[in-house]
Amino acid sequence: MEEIRFVPAFLKIAYEPSSLENTTFIQEYYSLLQLNDDPLGLWLKSPKIRKELEQTDQVLLTLLIELHRKIDNLTHLATSNEPLYIPLALQGNLKAIGHGYIEFDSNVLKPNESYYTRIDMPTFPKRQMPLFFEALSESIGKIVLMHEDDEKDWSTYMVACERVMIRQMKGTQSEY
């Protein structure tokens, strides 16, 4: 197995064995693409609105958008019998992440089996990151399908975890 550089990252994960041909999971995977399916995201992408956004406070606008999305999610939960996400059979914890890899805190995977998963990402906005991975061993998975925007957030989060790790190695506990 190739040398994988992991950084400690304790994240919650829900997963289930599945191939890329499973249409139910593929549909959810694409529906969770941030800003793609919700009308607010489409409205914000329009050229006319983008020009007007240059003159606004981006942080305040982002907070308002996330508040709007949370209200939409609550409305969905209150008015619909359908769950927001497909229930996945297994849940666990990750202890480390790498560029294109995940490592579980215990041996729960079957090598060479494919899985669909959602990871609770502590980014802003906090969200569920869907992806498909293949088990390389009983605790290590290689990511085989991830949204391009999620790849950027994944890398940003990984760099933040690396910074914390470096500070701890230097003996500086303060993050600032």
Side-chain angles (χ1 to χ4, degrees), residues 112-141:
N112 300 318
E113 188 161 1
S114 295
Y115 293 85
Y116 171 69
T117 186
R118 287 188 311 266
I119 299 173
D120 288 338
M121 290 301 291
T123 56
F124 180 77
K126 189 173 181 177
R127 61 193 173 89
Q128 297 273 314
M129 184 180 288
L131 55 93
F132 285 88
F133 71 91
E134 184 176 318
L136 299 179
S137 70
E138 292 179 334
S139 64
I140 296 175

Side-chain angles (χ1 to χ4, degrees), residues 73-85 87:
N73 287 344
L74 288 171
T75 303
H76 174 79
L77 289 172
T79 60
S80 176
N81 291 332
E82 297 176 24
L84 205 51
Y85 303 113

Side-chain angles (χ1 to χ4, degrees), residues 10-11 13 91-96 103-108 139:
F10 302 97
L11 302 170
I13 184 170
Q91 296 198 1
N93 295 304
L94 297 179
K95 74 173 186 179
E103 183 176 10
F104 283 78
D105 63 355
S106 57
N107 295 333
V108 294
S139 64

Side-chain angles (χ1 to χ4, degrees), residues 41-158:
L42 294 173
W43 177 73
L44 286 171
K45 285 183 174 183
S46 71
K48 180 181 176 187
I49 298 303
R50 271 213 221 137
K51 186 173 185 199
E52 291 178 18
L53 289 179
E54 293 172 1
Q55 300 168 2
T56 63
D57 182 359
Q58 277 304 119
V59 175
L60 185 59
L61 181 64
T62 304
L63 289 170
L64 283 171
I65 290 168
E66 286 310 306
L67 183 59
H68 187 278
R69 287 190 177 127
K70 285 183 188 258
I71 291 171
D72 284 348
N73 287 344
L74 288 171
T75 303
H76 174 79
L77 289 172
T79 60
S80 176
N81 291 332
E82 297 176 24
L84 205 51
Y85 303 113
I86 297 170
L88 297 177
L90 305 166
Q91 296 198 1
N93 295 304
L94 297 179
K95 74 173 186 179
I97 61 173
H99 288 290
Y101 295 91
I102 57 176
E103 183 176 10
F104 283 78
D105 63 355
S106 57
N107 295 333
V108 294
L109 303 175
K110 293 180 184 170
N112 300 318
E113 188 161 1
S114 295
Y115 293 85
Y116 171 69
T117 186
R118 287 188 311 266
I119 299 173
D120 288 338
M121 290 301 291
T123 56
F124 180 77
K126 189 173 181 177
R127 61 193 173 89
Q128 297 273 314
M129 184 180 288
L131 55 93
F132 285 88
F133 71 91
E134 184 176 318
L136 299 179
S137 70
E138 292 179 334
S139 64
I140 296 175
K142 180 178 183 177
I143 298 170
V144 295
L145 184 61
M146 177 187 267
H147 294 297
E148 187 177 328
D149 291 344
D150 290 344
E151 285 179 30
K152 293 173 189 171
D153 289 344
W154 183 267
S155 294
T156 301
Y157 181 72
M158 188 174 160

